[in-house]
Structures are given as C-alpha cells and as structure tokens.
Amino acid sequence: MKHRAKQQYIAGLRAGSPVILGFVPVALAYAIMARQAGFTVAQTCGMSLLVFAGASEIMAVGMYAQGASLIAMILATFLLNLRHIIMSTCVFNRMESTHPAARLFSAFFVTDESFAIFTTGKDEHRSVWFFLGLTTVTYSFWNLGTLVGAVASALLPDILSASLGIALYAMFIALLLPGLPENRRLTLLVVLTAVCNTLLSQIMDSSWALISSTLLCAFLGTFFVDPDPAEKEADV
Amino acid sequence: MYIWLLILGMLAVTYIPRALPAVLADKFRFGGRTEIF
C-alpha cells in the first residue's frame, strides 16, 4: 500500500513538472507587482502561501494599487474563484475514495493547472497521492517564484519592473483568447463587458465598475452565449 | 494589518469554492460527464 502511494506521488511529481515553465514567470511578475504596490516581502509571500490562486493574486494587487476597497477586492476574488467549484467537483469525482480530512486538505491545492492535469488522464479514478505529488510541484514553484520575485524586485531596474505590470493583461488575454475564434457570441459578450466596464467606470469607482460589469454581462451571457461546439455535438 | 486582512479574506473566498465539492462531491455529479470540463 505504502509502495503504491509512493509510486503515485512520484507519478504526480512528474506529471506536474511541465507546469513549472509557466508558473515561475507569472509568480515573478506577481511578486514584482505586489512589491511595487507597497506589499512587504512577507505580505507578498504570505498571499501566495495562503491564497495560492495566481489570477486572483494578480488582480487583487492591481486593484490595491488603484486604491480599491477591501470589500471590492474580496468580492472580485470570490467571483473570479467561483470557477473552482466546478474544477474541484471534477477533481473529487475523479479521485479514489479517501478520508474526508485528506480531501479537505487537498482542496486547498486545486488550481486550473492541477485540475487540467488530474482530470485529463486515461484512468477513471486517480489516487489522492497522485494529486498531492502534482500539487507539491505547483505549490512549491509558485511560492519559490514569488519569493525570488519579491526579493529580486529591489535589484531590478525601475523600467524593467514597471514593464512587468503588463503581465496582468497578458495573462487574462491568454486565458480568454483560445475560446473566442469558435464562438462569435462569446466574442460579442467580451466586447460588451469591456464597453460596459468603461461606461460604468465614468460613474462609479473602477473596482465596483469591474464587479458590476462582470456580474451583469455574465448574467446576460447565460441567455445568449452558445455552449461550446464540442459539447453541443456530444449532446446530439 | 490592512493587507493581512485582505489576504485572510481572499483565503476564505478562495478556499470555500475549492472545499465545498470535497465535502459534497457525491452530490455535485454532472451526469457522469465530468470529463468534458
């Protein structure tokens, strides 16, 4: 039993290793942005250690730099992380039966990347040890990248660290673009959200404009955005 | 202090959506088609 757990853990470590290439640069960029926004090294690392959600961390740091309120930042984080309900459900439906405490512990480490790797394998069910091996890699390198970025930010030239602020936009665009070419209505919804956010920013605080436009357009999207074409075919 | 409050708030609103399915996974099945996600 112990031997199988060890094998599964090592298999998870191996499966997670390609993620390092993507995680470290984004973690560096997050840490540099956080330090620029006024976070200390401990706060920068503390957020990565306790929250472990890259997109939310970068968004929160960006909102903090713009002077957003505490409630706005937490609410925006909540909205962005609602997707974890679906990802975590898929992970635990696929995981072999295990102790509830182990499930609750593992839940902290569910991210887009660990979800994608864990749920796309050929096995119908996978061990919690595989998941823990996988997330050992993602969690370690996200936090290592954060620590290096937080410490190194003081050493980088101002112009270089300032330019890393673009990482926020680059990351969200990278998340968004793959789904757009095949779905015109989704593209329209994205444009509508951007316009809505711009207009609302004229009459309210920009962080509340972001939350309001996200909620409003997500609600509209439930009525007129087509499901994914592949999913549609599967339904026929 | 303000930033630590932010971090704790973010921890709560990030962990809850992750942990709910860990407790209720059996009730959160999507007709056996979870692999599409």
Side-chain angles (χ1 to χ4, degrees):
Chain A
M1 186 67 191
K2 274 186 180 174
H3 180 65
R4 183 174 178 269
K6 189 178 170 187
Q7 271 186 334
Q8 287 288 315
Y9 186 78
I10 291 170
L13 288 176
R14 284 191 184 139
S17 54
V19 172
I20 297 169
L21 292 173
F23 259 41
V24 173
V26 181
L28 285 170
Y30 150 72
I32 290 168
M33 286 172 65
R35 296 285 286 131
Q36 283 179 339
F39 283 44
T40 63
V41 172
Q43 288 163 341
T44 304
C45 295
M47 186 178 272
S48 281
L49 285 165
L50 294 173
V51 179
F52 188 43
S56 310
E57 290 179 44
I58 292 177
M59 182 189 66
V61 162
M63 289 177 78
Y64 178 83
Q66 289 177 358
S69 70
L70 192 64
I71 297 292
M73 289 185 280
I74 293 175
L75 187 58
T77 302
F78 178 65
L79 292 176
L80 189 60
N81 289 335
L82 275 177
R83 72 191 192 286
H84 284 147
I85 291 182
I86 293 173
M87 294 193 296
S88 192
T89 300
C90 297
V91 165
F92 289 108
N93 280 344
R94 196 119 195 214
M95 194 178 278
E96 289 169 359
S97 181
T98 187
H99 194 277
R103 293 163 79 94
L104 282 172
F105 176 72
S106 314
F108 175 79
F109 302 98
V110 173
T111 57
D112 303 57
E113 294 78 8
S114 57
F115 149 76
I117 295 171
F118 191 76
T119 57
T120 51
K122 288 177 185 169
D123 310 328
E124 193 178 336
H125 291 291
R126 291 183 129 173
S127 157
V128 66
W129 288 105
F130 181 90
F131 186 75
L132 290 175
L134 168 63
T135 55
T136 298
V137 176
T138 54
Y139 189 68
S140 307
F141 279 89
W142 177 255
N143 283 289
L144 184 68
T146 300
L147 178 64
V148 172
V151 174
S153 65
L155 309 173
L156 291 176
D158 285 348
I159 191 165
L160 181 60
S161 52
S163 64
L164 282 169
I166 204 170
L168 170 71
Y169 309 106
M171 195 179 75
F172 282 110
I173 289 170
L175 286 173
L176 192 61
L177 276 181
L180 294 186
E182 294 155 11
N183 197 330
R184 283 185 192 170
R185 291 186 179 192
L186 181 61
T187 309
L188 182 65
L189 185 70
V190 169
V191 173
L192 181 67
T193 311
V195 171
C196 188
N197 182 47
T198 307
L199 292 176
L200 288 176
S201 300
Q202 310 302 313
I203 55 170
M204 62 172 79
D205 182 78
S206 62
S207 54
W208 287 110
L210 178 73
I211 293 169
S212 307
S213 51
T214 304
L215 281 175
L216 177 67
C217 295
F219 177 72
L220 292 175
T222 59
F223 294 104
F224 76 86
V225 173
D226 284 335
D228 180 67
E231 187 183 338
K232 223 174 176 180
E233 276 174 26
D235 284 341
V236 175
Chain B
M1 187 64 189
Y2 183 83
I3 292 176
W4 285 109
L5 273 179
L6 168 66
I7 292 171
L8 290 178
M10 287 176 67
L11 166 64
V13 297
T14 305
Y15 183 64
I16 290 168
R18 284 169 168 168
L20 267 182
V23 183
L24 304 168
D26 292 339
K27 293 176 184 168
F28 278 16
R29 289 192 182 274
F30 298 107
R33 294 178 54 218
T34 55
E35 71 278 3
I36 64 167
F37 291 97

